Amino acid sequence: MAIRKLPQEIYMKIAAGEVVTSAGSVVKELIENSLDSGASSVKLEIKNGGKDAIKVSDNGSGIPAEEISLAVHPHATSKIQQWDDILDLDTFGFRGEALSSIASVSEFYISSKTNGEDVGTSLFFRGGQLMEEKRMPMNTGTTIEVRNLFYNVPARRKFLKASSSESRYVMEVLEKFLLARPDVAFEFIRDGSAVFQWAKESLNNRIQRVLKVDDPANLLEVDHQQGSFSVQGAVSSPQHSRPNMTGITSFVNGRYVKDPIVYAAVRDFFTPILGKGRYPMAVLFMSVPKSEVDINVHPQKLEVKYSQSGVIYSLIKNALKSAFSDYSMQIREEFSDLRQAPQRDPIKTKGNPNIRAYKDTPTVNDTQRPSYTTSQPLRRPNSFAQTEPIINRLHHKRQPENHKQQVFSTDKIIGIANRRYIILEDETGLQFIDFHAAHERVLYEKIKEQEIKLQIQQLLQPIQVGIDLASFQILEDKRSSFTQLGFDYELSKQEAKIRGIPNLIRQQDAPEVFKEIIDEFRLTDLEKESEVYDNIYATIACHSAFRTGDFITVPQAEDLLKEMKIYDVFSCPHGRPVKYKLPFSQLDTFFKRS
């Protein structure tokens, strides 16, 4: 086939595919242009998740009438004049691709007026072609409206997510600008309804509002300099953690980036504190010499490349170490309390024997809350009543076959050590069982197999939980899933009122479980649905299981071992081992016995 130059219509659509991937990517480009124009107020309106319409209005400097048409041409920009200018940029945009790319795959309206002009200029493009130009009265600034995104590329439009998902992406993008520019007022309208209107404010106040941190004491200030590199921001105290890194937001020279080096530094610092798989909420603003960072390595400028990545890693770790230096004693005290929970005696009640109840859980019909007791030993029933599924049945992969062993048949329980381990003796040695991890796995299997039905336990008093914009959208979209998982709630723009919780968990654990489920649903488009629900079931099981420090009896331990045998339990849902074998032969060697 002969080589030939592609028509502009085709290569512009191809180019648009790199810049315009979703409604959120359009919002990102348009708001960046508004901020680059010096706007102190930005208004965003979307319809149908942005698929039908996206409108951004600002009070920036505006575009002169003689330049507005050129602004929509490919590779037309006011940000750079020569290549070296890229190395000294203070603006978000610089390539001159965004407006032309967006206009080529939509119905594109742009209106603008500078302070020195009497009237504004309005242009309408359809598929990248100028259809109309007119003068109109308007205030100084620019308004851009994008309608029917990908109307002329059906193959691309069908890959847009559901309106609710696109709307959530838009809100996640908007949150990054809220954090990056607290000196700018933002207003957001969705499908004709006002979502919020935030005035200018300090960075600390903006971080607290976006992260929904009620008590400022739960945010630690980050402020550290290392040569010509520095980082400022805030990180949550250990009591506020997440099961994934969705709460970590990083900026380089004011630009939001997805930075694996920052993620690695935060993970490595917090793993000894929070444990593996737990992460803080953090907002980190890095100041890096422009000559040390390349921002032109990603089509959407969401990634950067450093000339000294090791310096960035140490900068973040040292900054976190400094932020926690005055907090270290409190951390030790708090985590000592967390890891050595006070004794709680299970209440012997009627009902499902697979679930614990505690005296400190004030719920409706609290005396009927079931417990894990010896009077009703754990058994796997031979048959179960047909019930509606908690969630559509998802594929569950059991533990590897080579992990199955014949255990517990002739084992004798010696006792419970340190309120943490069940100690067994058999003919060949001693076995140590982590009863929290083992019970967690048993409950996880039962929830997966629907042998335990997650029912809503109504609360006498609702629990109020602050939520961010993206969480609000998730709670709206996934209400039926939350109901099937055992949660009942009311929503307002700033908080959720939890009215009912799963019957397996304690009331004081409900807010944390609620937030962790929200965080898992954030990953719906990154992980398989089955993996998301596996993680949710594991979260509920973890908060429902016996805990280190709980008092359990030997008969209760025997019941747990029977369930472990039924479900072939040799690891917890997170992959940690639950059993350790110490052979007598190893003891004999240590004591030098023949």
Side-chain angles (χ1 to χ4, degrees), residues 18-307:
E18 295 185 340
V19 178
V20 185
T21 58
S22 65
S25 64
V26 174
V27 169
K28 173 184 177 293
E29 299 293 344
L30 298 186
I31 292 182
E32 284 184 347
N33 281 344
S34 293
L35 297 177
D36 283 345
S37 73
S40 61
S41 177
V42 176
K43 180 179 180 181
L44 169 64
E45 302 172 70
I46 65 171
K47 293 181 180 179
N48 193 25
K51 293 191 288 186
D52 290 350
I54 300 169
K55 185 177 182 180
V56 174
S57 307
D58 66 57
N59 64 347
S61 58
I63 306 172
E66 62 272 17
E67 296 180 11
I68 189 169
S69 178
L70 185 61
V72 189
H73 279 226
H75 309 298
T77 178
S78 61
K79 314 299 172 53
I80 62 174
Q81 302 298 323
Q82 54 189 3
W83 173 252
D84 289 344
D85 293 341
I86 291 181
L87 304 177
D88 192 35
L89 281 173
D90 292 313
T91 58
F92 288 107
F94 57 87
R95 295 179 183 147
E97 294 178 331
L99 296 186
S100 60
S101 295
I102 296 169
S104 69
V105 292
S106 69
E107 295 174 341
F108 184 87
Y109 298 79
I110 179 171
S111 305
S112 192
K113 173 185 172 297
T114 64
N115 194 40
E117 295 175 324
D118 296 328
V119 295
T121 302
S122 177
L123 306 180
F124 166 45
F125 292 81
R126 195 170 192 275
Q129 300 298 314
L130 179 61
M131 308 298 292
E132 182 182 17
E133 178 177 356
K134 62 182 179 181
R135 301 290 183 267
M136 59 181 291
M138 62 179 294
N139 295 326
T140 298
T142 301
T143 297
I144 295 178
E145 184 171 4
V146 178
R147 298 180 187 173
N148 299 323
L149 185 62
F150 292 130
Y151 82 95
N152 56 347
V153 193
R156 294 294 307 280
R157 187 171 176 88
K158 76 176 183 180
F159 281 103
L160 290 175
K161 302 294 183 181
S163 299
S164 57
S165 295
E166 292 291 339
S167 180
R168 177 160 56 89
Y169 299 154
V170 168
M171 288 190 284
E172 289 175 351
V173 168
L174 188 54
E175 281 185 345
K176 305 304 186 291
F177 288 112
L178 289 170
L179 291 168
R181 295 297 302 270
D183 59 324
V184 174
F186 286 91
E187 182 179 0
F188 179 39
I189 296 175
R190 181 181 56 198
D191 295 322
S193 300
V195 177
F196 70 80
Q197 187 172 3
W198 286 7
K200 305 174 187 179
E201 56 191 330
S202 68
L203 176 60
N204 287 340
N205 288 343
R206 185 63 67 85
I207 290 176
Q208 290 176 34
R209 292 181 70 182
V210 172
L211 298 186
K212 296 300 176 186
V213 176
D214 298 328
D215 185 356
N218 290 325
L219 279 180
L220 304 181
E221 182 182 4
V222 175
D223 190 355
H224 180 72
Q225 185 159 353
Q226 200 166 297
S228 55
F229 298 76
S230 65
V231 59
Q232 288 81 34
V235 62
S236 63
S237 60
Q239 300 95 325
H240 297 271
S241 64
R242 289 183 169 184
N244 51 51
M245 295 189 182
T246 56
I248 301 171
T249 307
S250 58
F251 299 85
V252 174
N253 297 339
R255 183 190 304 276
Y256 167 70
V257 295
K258 297 178 179 179
D259 197 328
I261 296 175
V262 172
Y263 295 152
V266 173
R267 177 200 63 210
D268 293 349
F269 178 83
F270 275 97
T271 294
I273 299 174
L274 299 177
K276 187 177 180 180
R278 300 297 305 183
Y279 307 95
M281 294 184 292
V283 179
L284 303 173
F285 295 89
M286 291 177 287
S287 178
V288 179
K290 296 173 184 176
S291 60
E292 300 292 330
V293 58
D294 185 356
I295 61 175
N296 191 31
V297 296
H298 189 274
Q300 299 172 16
K301 302 183 284 291
L302 290 174
E303 298 175 6
V304 296
K305 188 175 182 179
Y306 305 104
S307 62

